[in-house]
Amino acid sequence: PSCRRYVAGGRCKSTARLEGKVVIITGANTGIGKATARDLAQRGKVIIACRDTAKAEAAASEIRAETGNQQVIVKKLDLADTKSIREFAETFLAEEKELHVLINNAGVMLCPYSKTADGFEMHLGVNHLGHFLLTFLLLECLKQSAPARIINVSSLAHHGGRIRFHDLHGEKCYNRGLAYCHSKLANVLFTRELARRLQGKFQRQMGFTANALHPGSVSSDLVRHSFLMTWLWKIFSFFLKTPCEGAQTTIYCAVAEELDSVTGQYFSDCQPAYVSPRGRDDETAKKLWNVSCELLGIQWD
């Protein structure tokens, strides 16, 4: 029915192959991440980076069986722990020579108030800071493998977010719905500032890009922390995208030939989409970058 087609949204039509190329997808053991991994495994080598390796192994063996591609590899990565992020990057760099696509897909949503191993508020820590550090650690490898792409899975929810520098970790005031929105705005601002910093002549020639996207409202277990949302998701499932439909824009950003030199953009339904005024604020983007570096104890110039 046409209503269902409308809900499904845009599709990635690119048949681009990724032979000899390496893709990392965080949180690819379920939902959109798994659907993205399944599609990209039909094109090239995929590394599934997940906290729960048992779940990830089950997903990977299913994908290997479906695609016939044995190069679907599971690596442990806990984005709520910088030690785990550093270990993952170290292992990856020791084992692989190149990295062509980094998809920062993993995320938490609507968590009750909690902190990561390093004392960051969970949404900000996992959705933004964890991926910020991971990208930093893999950046040289991406540069040397160019053309390369960095893809940050954000959300329409970024429209409801603001970066509350005076209370980044929600210690004074916490609302789990807003905490998710703030972290998704951070994804958009990170993408914007990263693209600006990669804009040198070298990057333009080499096609080294960073883009963000909104996957759509997808029927997944991301809402598991909220009984109300889980219930609503069940009732309105007809109006939600399947994980496969939700993965289309990520896949598009990863492979579409027409995006070879497109950077710093935000996509939805496989086309450029509207970014909130807060998501276009360069001053906030720069400040968030500096604060993120301070929190993580890194120098990223």
Side-chain angles (χ1 to χ4, degrees):
S2 58
C3 170
R4 189 56 228 147
R5 265 203 307 279
Y6 175 75
V7 170
R11 286 200 78 79
C12 174
K13 298 186 176 74
S14 169
T15 55
R17 307 286 306 157
L18 296 171
E19 268 114 2
K21 298 202 167 179
V22 181
V23 179
I24 289 176
I25 309 175
T26 66
N29 56 357
T30 117
I32 304 169
K34 184 178 170 186
T36 305
R38 184 186 289 117
D39 179 285
L40 297 181
Q42 292 166 2
R43 307 171 192 251
K45 179 172 183 171
V46 174
I47 292 171
I48 292 178
C50 290
R51 188 186 57 204
D52 186 334
T53 49
K55 249 192 192 170
E57 275 300 349
S61 63
E62 196 183 298
I63 292 168
R64 283 184 216 117
E66 278 176 35
T67 60
N69 179 3
Q70 293 313 300
Q71 291 205 297
V72 180
I73 296 158
V74 171
K75 295 282 175 208
K76 185 169 175 63
L77 169 68
D78 182 355
L79 288 158
D81 184 352
T82 57
K83 190 164 158 283
S84 169
I85 300 168
R86 289 179 179 280
E87 279 165 10
F88 168 84
E90 213 171 291
T91 309
F92 173 82
L93 296 171
E95 292 172 1
E96 299 288 342
K97 297 285 165 281
E98 295 187 310
L99 174 60
H100 304 90
V101 185
L102 171 62
I103 301 176
N104 291 320
N105 162 83
V108 294
M109 182 179 182
L110 304 174
C111 308
Y113 189 77
S114 55
K115 287 187 167 178
T116 68
D118 302 86
F120 309 139
E121 185 277 314
M122 192 60 74
H123 292 91
L124 186 82
V126 170
N127 298 356
H128 168 61
L129 292 168
H131 283 129
F132 187 94
L133 179 61
L134 180 66
T135 306
F136 167 76
L137 296 171
L138 298 175
L139 196 74
E140 268 318 300
C141 184
L142 281 156
K143 263 186 191 167
Q144 284 160 17
S145 314
R149 299 181 184 192
I150 297 165
I151 296 151
N152 295 322
V153 178
S154 178
S155 165
L156 187 66
H158 84 269
H159 286 274
R162 48 173 18 144
I163 306 300
R164 303 169 65 250
F165 290 109
H166 64 287
D167 188 22
L168 266 185
H169 303 295
E171 285 157 333
K172 299 188 182 112
C173 160
Y174 181 75
N175 173 303
R176 55 192 186 165
L178 286 177
Y180 177 71
C181 296
H182 302 332
S183 72
K184 293 289 109 180
L185 174 60
N187 294 155
V188 172
L189 291 167
F190 169 43
T191 307
R192 189 176 181 87
E193 182 62 9
L194 179 60
R196 190 186 70 76
R197 285 164 178 260
L198 298 179
Q199 272 293 29
K201 187 159 169 270
F202 159 77
Q203 268 77 26
R204 272 203 300 280
Q205 281 169 343
M206 295 304 293
F208 189 17
T209 64
N211 290 299
L213 67 106
H214 166 56
S217 298
V218 179
S219 179
S220 76
D221 66 353
L222 195 57
V223 294
R224 65 185 175 275
H225 290 294
S226 164
F227 172 75
L228 176 66
M229 289 289 279
T230 305
W231 182 70
L232 287 171
W233 246 226
K234 279 197 173 70
I235 293 176
F236 293 108
S237 61
F238 180 79
F239 298 103
L240 297 173
K241 291 185 179 190
T242 63
C244 176
E245 290 161 355
Q248 294 304 308
T249 307
T250 309
I251 297 161
Y252 173 73
C253 288
V255 302
E257 297 90 332
E258 64 267 31
L259 299 186
D260 278 345
S261 56
V262 173
T263 191
Q265 298 300 307
Y266 170 75
F267 293 86
S268 176
D269 280 328
C270 301
Q271 55 192 16
Y274 179 73
V275 176
S276 77
R278 287 199 188 107
R280 298 194 301 266
D281 185 332
D282 290 329
E283 283 316 300
T284 306
K286 286 191 185 83
K287 187 173 175 186
L288 178 64
W289 183 283
N290 294 333
V291 169
S292 301
C293 286
E294 266 167 53
L295 288 169
L296 293 162
I298 58 176
Q299 291 255 294
W300 188 354
D301 302 318

